[in-house]
Amino acid sequence: MSTYLSTEEIKAKVEKLRAIVPPKLLDEFLAKAEAVNLTEEQFEEALKFLVQEYVKAMIDPGEAIGVVTAQSVGEPSTQMILRSFHFAGLREFSMALGLPRLIEVIDARKKPERPMMTVYLDDSIKQDKEKALEVAKQLQATTIENIAKAVSIDYIASTIIIELNEDQLKYKGISVNDVKKVLDRAKGKGGEIEVNGFTIMVKVDTTELSKLKKIRDRILQTKVKGIKGIKKAVVIEEKGEFIIQTEGTNLEAVLLTEGVDHRRTITNDIHEIAEVLGIEAARSAIINEIQKILQSQSLEVDVRHLMMVADVMTWDGVVRQVGRHGVAGMKESPLAKAAFEVTVKNLVEASLRGETERFKGVVENVIAGKYIPIGTGFVELLMEMK
């Protein structure tokens, strides 16, 4: 005898499909299923039919998904406003948004113009502002320049004199002895260091003015504490927890820092993500970055288009730009490559190498005036003639 499913049982079965079918479609199905009494067999059949119809509706055979994706991402990007978002009350701490950042992601630039990280904290300390500040101090790279009140050169005695800022030392948790140890490694051979209270004198064995200035500059940039590459680290409250926003990025070192939640911490440097976490993580980062850029400008693009862009950029295990040095330059078709940029160069090189045009894609068929292998042109009909 068939038994009818309860509302809880229906919800439990539907929840398993959240990763396959859009939530909106499932919610509509759930509302209809709860309104009528269904046996387990009827419900399973209805659920199977829903998935089949959704998969069939995802794409039609021969649909030009590449062109649709290009249009869907390209049109909103032309509406973007070039602007920068600034953190309130924080001098020189800004993040480029909008079109410049979108171009940066699509071009797969080696380094973002404004590298940043969002550092999440462990459950044990994410509600504690004081501990969050302590982690931020550990992350932010502190150089001699950051803790020096004044730096001068005694050209007669060939000595670089550093007056340390007592308040900054106390705030950063650094002692004069810590600074001396770092300078011992940075001064090079033949140098001598003297400490007098909060003044450190570095005597070097050269009298050349240019060399003295170079040594001073090197000393000023010497890291005393923190992680290389993290210029600033600021604690802010977001959704009931404290997080750290950084200017500069060093994903590997930050993930190894005690108190940092390595599951959620992210950087906007796509290449660094690929290097540290792998190509699948880089693919997800590309999708999330483009989504974030579009949403910041109140623009909506279906996530499947963004997935298509990310797949094209990462399919061979390396993050590649959508350009002639990346995706477009890797096409097999000589005519497709020539149609993108530097036409003559591509055609000459294809001739020298004796490349063959197979007319498999859209662009090369348009150039040659042939049927395009999309839509109705995708179907080949074989007729048996008497």
Side-chain angles (χ1 to χ4, degrees), residues 100-112:
R101 177 60 184 151
L102 182 64
I103 292 168
E104 214 170 59
V105 174
I106 299 297
D107 277 358
R109 301 266 171 90
K110 286 293 179 186
K111 283 290 171 190

Side-chain angles (χ1 to χ4, degrees), residues 82-87 90-98 100-105 109-118 229-232 245-250 266-270 272 289 292-293:
L82 280 70
R83 65 181 186 181
S84 291
F85 170 77
H86 295 272
F87 282 83
L90 231 75
R91 187 180 58 178
E92 296 175 5
F93 195 79
S94 61
M95 177 173 68
L97 287 175
R101 177 60 184 151
L102 182 64
I103 292 168
E104 214 170 59
V105 174
R109 301 266 171 90
K110 286 293 179 186
K111 283 290 171 190
E113 188 182 341
R114 299 198 185 280
M116 297 186 73
M117 291 186 72
T118 303
I230 307 295
K231 295 177 185 175
K232 289 186 178 72
Q245 290 281 7
T246 75
E247 185 177 327
T249 174
N250 189 334
I266 53 170
T267 172
N268 68 348
D269 189 331
I270 308 293
E272 189 175 33
E289 280 291 320
K292 190 163 65 177
I293 295 160

